[in-house]
Amino acid sequence: MTPSAAVEDAFRSEWGRVLGAVVRSTGDLDLAEESAQEAFATALRTWGRDGVPERPGAWLTTTARRHALDVLRRRRVEADKSEAAARRGERVDGPGRAPDAVHDEVERGLDDEAWTPDDPDGDLLRLLFTCCHPALPLDGRVTLTLRSLTGMTTAQVARAFLVPEATMSQRLVRAKRRIRATGIAFRVPPPAQRPERTSSVLAVLYVLFTEGYDAWAEPADDVEGCAERRALAGDAVRLARLVARLLPDEPEARGLLALLLLQHARRGARTGSDGVSRTLAEQDRARWRRDEITEGLSVLDGALAVRRPGPYQVQAAIAALHCRAATAGETDWAEVLALYDVLFEMTPTPVVALNRAVAVAEVHGVEAGLSAVDAVARDPALASYHLLPALRADLLTRAGRPADAVVELRRALDQVDREGDRRLLRSRLAALGGASAPDAG
Amino acid sequence: MRYLMLVLSTPEDPELRPGDAAGAPPIEGWVEKYYGSGTAVLGDRLRPPADAVGVRVRGGRTLVTDGPFSETKEAVGGFDVIDAPDLDTAITIAGEHPMAHAGAIELRPFWPLGLDDASDGGRA
């Protein structure tokens, strides 16, 4: 491996741990970011000349820690100077000073001799819980997690979420300010808060994954930023792998990893070469990644063996049934429906009810499926959810009511905001003779 | 770091179920635990909003009103000032207060005068 490839490699695998180690001793996320960046820049300059260190992570952590110490000492000298100047009646702008005791304590913690042994996993876990603290707004949690755990730059995160860099930067600044203002500490939460806090971490990863996974159902060539968004799904899988390892006693962490692996395995089949999104039934299953499915199934088995089921494990079990079916026709729908019943019991949301309706139609027939859809159709949460009329259109077509299906397809087309699904809906409409063939837009 | 715990009654909270209030621990234990240890430094019950007195100075005149400024159903029924090393500890303490079960607690971090945002360093 060339030195620069080694640095890149270390960046992907070690960024979070290097950052976490400095946050642990300074409690200062900004200083930690600056120091971690400095450490990687130093690596780029010196690894070519001196060779790649035996333990790159430890080397980078030490370099970052020393940089942080330098910065703190320099700030202290400057603060002393400006204080002296202030006494003489001059005004010098510079960072304000923290009490000496705080400085002493922080500097001692960063010093070579006092440095507690590396605890990379502990640092990562603390960092993750901090970034996903429920006292932060959800968008801030997602952004902060990406920035802190994967080392993505603010510009990269902004591109992936299709927002201007300034907006994303504001989000990060606000989240960090709130960490300081509310006294969020860099720690693993106390036992009483552990379940809720773990859910928050898993929810952030799921949001992240969905953002990326949705882009796999889009025509990559025609949608701006699609490649960047797709990469988020892979990042989420990597983070879920990390969380499952760091929280071995949490079957839901493994449940989430299994769910992400099983969904991600299908990414390559989610759009056709025409850029039209493909439903599960229409996907070319030869393009599913068998190796990833095998891993997902085994992670799920491990989670289920703990016998503490939760929504992620149940969703993963549903995904597993789809992955196990060689063709759509071989899907065990009775089992899928039974699992949706369990899931709805745990999380009675309208989206779960809608997905359950698909299984109802397969098991009990199209009319029963339509009734199940109608039962949630008026829920305000689904008011502009294009998959609701799209599903009704599908069921109505199968029930031999093409005119009603056309009405639903038009409604879905009014609501849809994804290009891949828009093309799919247009082709359905054309097939029913309800409209001209897909236009160029 | 210091937090003000605003103890709220929330009669119109749709998520409040009868079992929640019934499961609230007694206040005596909470007071003993946190005032006994010095974690809570000041606090009391407050007279209801109807007994509030508003004071404003406008155009040089002191205007006094009877009753609260805003007619919300949520009302501050008491307060405690606690000293906690971090937010998670403050959340634990708030979660053990009976009114977290029967109403709600709003934690307001102190913002000491004289420390600007740039130099608060992040350490409690």
Side-chain angles (χ1 to χ4, degrees), chain A residues 386 407-417 422 425:
Chain A
H386 72 280
V407 174
E408 293 295 333
L409 282 172
R410 293 222 167 95
R411 184 171 299 155
L413 273 165
D414 277 344
Q415 295 172 349
V416 70
D417 58 357
R422 181 175 294 122
L425 292 166

Side-chain angles (χ1 to χ4, degrees), chain A residues 22 57 109 119 126 136 139 151 153 163 176 194 196 216 287 312 330 345 349 370 376 404:
Chain A
V22 182
D119 176 18
R126 284 182 280 266
L136 301 172
D139 62 3
T153 64
V163 301
K176 287 186 206 162
R194 193 71 181 256
E196 196 218 335
W216 282 95
R287 295 174 70 184
Y312 291 118
E330 288 165 72
E345 188 106 324
T349 70
L370 278 168
V376 287
D404 293 335

